Amino acid sequence: QVQLVESGGGSVQAGGSLRLSCAASGYTYSSECMGWFRQAPGKEREGVAHIYTGRGITIYADDVKGRFTVSQDNAKNTVYLQMNGLKPGDTAMYYCAAQSSSSCHHSLDENYYNYWGQGTQVTVSS
């Protein structure tokens, strides 16, 4: 059973930085196919970033490109989301997710992701 545990959320002022972590356990495949998503109050969940560690493929949502960086540490089975230049519009609950298929869909479509963490809150004040 795959388990994902996020950490690193908090409250920062606009322009600040946070690094989110997602510790994965029970992952079946040697190359992780992971994503970060977020959901703001009253809004639908949206994809933020995707990483396929086996080939170093990353994908970002347009509004976080150049500000957010997704990375992984295979030795620690952990995926990170470095968030710089945070804006009030980035305020949301952030979730990491994993795909269970043996083939990785390089996408921010949440329907491809089968396992989800419990989320970590990010609040950005102006």
Side-chain angles (χ1 to χ4, degrees), residues 96-118:
C96 72
Q99 295 184 22
S100 63
S101 171
S102 58
S103 60
C104 181
H105 296 276
H106 306 305
S107 171
L108 296 178
D109 183 345
E110 66 177 74
N111 292 307
Y112 288 119
Y113 295 81
N114 307 95
Y115 302 102
W116 294 83
Q118 83 288 351

Side-chain angles (χ1 to χ4, degrees), residues 38-81:
R38 66 186 181 186
Q39 187 168 22
K43 295 186 177 181
E44 294 187 352
R45 188 161 56 189
E46 62 178 359
V48 175
H50 161 81
I51 184 167
Y52 177 51
T53 61
R55 295 175 60 187
I57 293 173
T58 57
I59 297 173
Y60 296 94
D62 287 342
D63 61 350
V64 306
K65 284 180 182 176
R67 300 189 297 123
F68 291 10
T69 303
V70 60
S71 63
Q72 54 81 26
D73 184 333
N74 278 337
K76 296 181 178 180
N77 290 327
T78 300
V79 176
Y80 303 97
L81 185 67

Side-chain angles (χ1 to χ4, degrees), residues 6-12 18 20 36 38-41 83 88 90-95 118-124:
E6 303 99 332
S7 61
S11 297
V12 296
L18 284 173
L20 306 183
W36 284 97
R38 66 186 181 186
Q39 187 168 22
M83 305 185 295
D90 295 318
T91 295
M93 184 71 79
Y94 283 71
Y95 302 89
Q118 83 288 351
T120 186
Q121 178 68 37
V122 172
T123 303
V124 185

